[in-house]
């Protein structure tokens, strides 16, 4: 073997070693990227299912709100409005999550999971729109009622402030939770597309 062949062999060996080192670094990077993607997906999935998991707390808050209405001496239509709202929105949450399970997102077919998440988004937007319409109707009825009753100005203002705070607070919470939930849903769909590629 002459000097030129030895140099070529050495170069080839160096190239093999460089390739092996690059492949090892690439494999480690792939593992790290996969772990980062799984962690981000877990966070988004937790956020996605938060509304469904918080139903017991929501029911408790509705009961407390109805009791407070009776304690404060609100007329019958205020707690009735809250009860109707709860009876419409709580089953609405179950309807929104119909066909969506955490296990399917992790392990299911990517195309069917993506389609189910898109349906979820549409249903969720419908539910949130319905909630906003119910609140606006409640505010209009409450305003009409407060201006037409023969109660003292102090009591009218106190009740008006309570109703306004409940409505503004609930709508603000609904807006921010909807925004976070829909962005989590979009992120999951995007990660599923990346995973499919």
């Amino acid at each position: 073997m002459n000097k030129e062949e030895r140099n070529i062999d050495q170069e080839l060996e160096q190239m093999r070693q460089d390739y092996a080192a690059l492949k090892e670094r690439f494999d480690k990077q792939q593992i790290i990227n996969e772990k980062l993607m799984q962690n981000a997906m877990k966070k988004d999935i937790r956020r996605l299912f938060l509304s469904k998991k918080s139903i017991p707390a929501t029911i408790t808050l509705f009961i407390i709100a109805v009791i407070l209405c009776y304690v404060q001496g609100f007329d019958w239509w205020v707690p009735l409005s809250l009860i109707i709202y709860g009876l419409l929105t709580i089953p609405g949450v179950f309807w929104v999550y119909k066909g969506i399970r955490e296990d399917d997102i992790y392990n299911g077919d990517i195309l069917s999971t993506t389609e189910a998440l898109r349906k979820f988004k549409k249903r969720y937007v419908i539910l949130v729109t319905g909630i906003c319409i119910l609140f606006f109707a409640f505010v209009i009825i409450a305003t009409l009622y407060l201006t037409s009753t023969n109660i003292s100005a102090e009591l009218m203002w106190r009740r008006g402030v309570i109703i306004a705070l409940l409505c503004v607070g609930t709508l603000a919470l609904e807006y921010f939770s909807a925004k976070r939930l829909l962005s989590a849903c979009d992120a999951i769909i995007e990660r599923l597309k990346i995973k499919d590629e």
Side-chain angles (χ1 to χ4, degrees):
M1 188 184 286
N2 63 25
K3 185 178 179 182
E4 191 176 309
E5 288 176 347
R6 266 186 265 141
N7 286 342
I8 291 173
D9 284 344
Q10 287 175 350
E11 287 178 24
L12 284 173
E13 185 59 35
Q14 184 63 40
M15 287 174 67
R16 281 188 198 109
Q17 290 173 1
D18 291 344
Y19 175 77
L22 282 172
K23 185 174 182 333
E24 184 180 341
R25 286 198 329 216
F26 177 77
D27 291 342
K28 286 180 182 176
Q29 187 65 40
Q30 288 290 94
I31 291 169
I32 290 169
N33 286 344
E34 185 69 29
K35 286 182 180 178
L36 289 173
M37 184 184 263
Q38 285 176 353
N39 288 340
M41 198 148 164
K42 283 179 185 177
K43 181 181 172 186
D44 288 332
I45 290 172
R46 276 195 305 268
R47 187 175 295 150
L48 185 71
F49 284 92
L50 183 63
S51 296
K52 189 175 182 181
K53 291 178 180 176
S54 65
I55 285 183
T58 304
I59 292 170
T60 304
L61 286 174
F62 274 120
I63 292 169
I64 291 170
V66 169
I67 291 170
L68 283 175
C69 285
Y70 283 114
V71 169
Q72 283 292 317
F74 281 93
D75 286 323
W76 60 271
W77 64 272
V78 177
L80 181 65
S81 299
L82 288 171
I83 291 169
I84 290 171
Y85 173 76
L87 291 175
L88 291 175
T89 56
I90 292 171
V93 169
F94 287 110
W95 170 71
V96 166
Y97 283 93
K98 182 180 175 187
I100 301 284
R101 291 186 4 215
E102 288 183 54
D103 292 340
D104 291 342
I105 294 173
Y106 285 118
N107 305 319
D109 175 41
I110 292 173
L111 290 175
S112 61
T113 303
T114 303
E115 184 61 31
L117 287 171
R118 287 190 177 119
K119 285 180 184 176
F120 167 84
K121 281 179 63 175
K122 289 176 187 173
R123 290 178 187 158
Y124 189 78
V125 169
I126 291 169
L127 179 67
V128 170
T129 304
I131 288 170
C132 290
I133 290 170
L134 281 172
F135 263 107
F136 287 126
F138 177 77
V139 169
I140 290 169
I141 292 168
T143 304
L144 291 173
Y145 178 77
L146 286 175
T147 57
S148 68
T149 57
N150 293 326
I151 58 174
S152 68
E154 179 187 338
L155 187 58
M156 183 174 78
W157 275 105
R158 189 173 71 189
R159 289 182 178 178
V161 167
I162 290 172
I163 289 171
L165 288 175
L166 281 172
C167 291
V168 169
T170 303
L171 287 175
L173 284 172
E174 190 62 38
Y175 170 77
F176 288 114
S177 68
K179 186 176 175 183
R180 289 182 72 188
L181 189 139
L182 291 174
S183 67
C185 191
D186 288 338
I188 292 169
I189 290 171
E190 197 60 39
R191 285 188 186 92
L192 288 172
K193 285 181 186 175
I194 292 170
K195 191 177 179 181
D196 191 33
E197 295 169 357

